[in-house]
Amino acid sequence: MAADLSQIVKAYDVRGVVPDQWDEPLAELFGAAFVQVTGADAIVTGHDMRPSSPGLSGAFARGAAGRGADVTEIGLCSTDQLYYASGALNLPGAMFTASHNPAQYNGIKMCRAGAAPVGQDTGLAEIRELVEGWLASGAPEPVEKPGTVTRRETLTDYAAHLRSLVDLSGIRPPAAGQRTGGDKVKVVVDAGNGMGGHTVPTVFEGLPIELVPMYFELDGTFPNHEANPLDPKNIVDLQERVRAERADLGLAFDGDADRCFVVDQNGDPVSPSAVTALVAARELARNGGTGTVIHNLITSWSVPEVVRECGGTPVRTRVGHSFIKAEMARTGAIFGGEHSAHYYFRDFWNADTGMLAALHVLAALGGQDEPLSALVAQYDRYAGSGEINSTVADQAASAAAVKSAYEGREGLTLDELDGLTVTAEDWWFNLRASNTEPLLRLNVEARDEATLAKVRDEVLALVRG
């Protein structure tokens, strides 16, 4: 096929429509290039439940073996299970998934040994250049001694590792949650027909939990709803089921199950910032009340406040996993969280795992008597807008108009770590350009709803006006 790699090689991964934008022969070239750029003599691969994933993953393995690398295939897995394998086996890895994208998409998330990220600045640009060269002049000659391809099961070890990091043995339903009548924490899990249906049964097995599964059948055509819990319409089924079951909480995983979203016993969404603060408090307690916690610049003010209250040091970063992981490595941070429900742990090779964050929420809930809504209220202190997208003809011009409107106003600070952040005593907003669409993304937080509405409306009028 005549592939345009500029369309499918993104900032952090490869992603596009199959077979229109990429296919198995192209995946084979990516496998060869991955081995050449990493210099690896062995790698590990895994894939999600999309119909195209086994074929693409197998082709990548052939390409890697053709360059002399031994390939360990772990087969069906979540993205964080692949990161586990990369860390535990100390091998570079490749995960075949398009995360929450629709069924016709697929992609590759690549990492170096120890789950270290591969992005544009850390090898992905070189991989693209090699593949483009081979597309133009012919595939590389096979090496004299090709590598082997073998299968390995890692789900059991992955589950055991996660459970070694959180004590769930003594959890019980909150006193206000005895409405279920049982002695176990009742949790509804919506896997969205994604890889949570593969990992949750093994991770939760034997725990004092009453599990109510939703959409656990692995189906890459997503027959029930998109596997993107960040979109409110995709958690409606979960919210209704939590209320109907009178459950203690609900969890929703995205397609490759690396992100986890939480709803409380009333079916109300729990902000990922509140989850970040809760997990940060627990990780700091595990580490003797000291340590660095990374948060991106559009998480709530609550996060750095809680980190300081617990004795830790908060560090603010740009949005994006490559920035979080780099800062975690630089600072030796114990934990990091993003507004998008990505949670990163030092004890998980600085990689993100929504499953471990979910176990922390379960442990926190089951270790005290309050319902989840009361427990998380202490970590959810401000009014937030969520992310508001505006389609604009000229991102730079619209952003400049906003900057000039706030520059010079008394009592404000402006910074451009990532887009434009304007901070006042009782509110802040961040305005960032999308890398892939003609959008400006606005996030606003304030001490009360009235202030939030005023700031939000003023900025949107400037952006859209």
Side-chain angles (χ1 to χ4, degrees), residues 141 149 165 177 225 283 307 315 324 344 346 376:
E141 289 294 318
V149 180
L165 300 175
H225 59 71
E283 283 289 310
V307 170
V315 172
I324 294 257
Y344 307 80
R346 182 187 64 195
V376 298

Side-chain angles (χ1 to χ4, degrees), residues 21 56 83 85 126 173 182 224 237 241 251 258 299 309 319 344 348 366 377 382 387 403 452 459:
Q21 293 181 300
L56 292 168
Y83 291 150
E126 293 95 316
N224 294 290
D237 291 358
R241 189 70 177 272
L251 304 172
D258 61 347
T299 52
E309 288 161 13
V319 174
Y344 307 80
F348 201 76
Y382 302 97
E387 197 150 85
K403 182 181 177 183
L452 169 70
V459 180

Side-chain angles (χ1 to χ4, degrees), residues 222-302:
F222 307 113
N224 294 290
H225 59 71
E226 286 181 6
N228 179 18
L230 195 57
D231 187 334
K233 71 174 182 286
N234 295 323
I235 62 167
V236 170
D237 291 358
L238 174 65
Q239 293 171 299
E240 290 176 352
R241 189 70 177 272
V242 166
R243 295 181 195 116
E245 295 279 349
R246 301 179 73 188
D248 296 304
L249 76 162
L251 304 172
F253 290 91
D254 66 347
D256 59 335
D258 61 347
R259 288 187 298 157
C260 182
F261 292 75
V262 182
V263 303
D264 68 18
Q265 79 284 357
N266 301 314
D268 294 328
V270 176
S271 145
S273 285
V275 174
T276 297
L278 180 154
V279 177
R282 289 178 53 81
E283 283 289 310
L284 285 163
R286 273 185 76 228
N287 285 275
T290 61
T292 298
V293 173
I294 309 297
H295 64 99
N296 74 25
L297 78 177
I298 50 180
T299 52
S300 169
W301 267 340
S302 302

Side-chain angles (χ1 to χ4, degrees), residues 117-137:
V118 169
Q120 282 294 332
D121 301 330
T122 49
L124 193 52
E126 293 95 316
I127 289 169
R128 173 183 161 178
E129 283 173 24
L130 271 175
V131 173
E132 284 176 332
W134 292 331
L135 285 171
S137 60

Side-chain angles (χ1 to χ4, degrees), residues 347-382:
D347 294 337
F348 201 76
W349 300 278
N350 290 341
D352 46 319
T353 166
M355 186 69 76
L356 185 50
L359 294 181
H360 271 292
V361 172
L362 285 164
L365 175 65
Q368 49 86 67
D369 291 330
E370 295 292 329
L372 186 58
S373 58
L375 173 64
V376 298
Q378 62 187 298
Y379 303 115
D380 199 3
R381 304 172 177 181
Y382 302 97

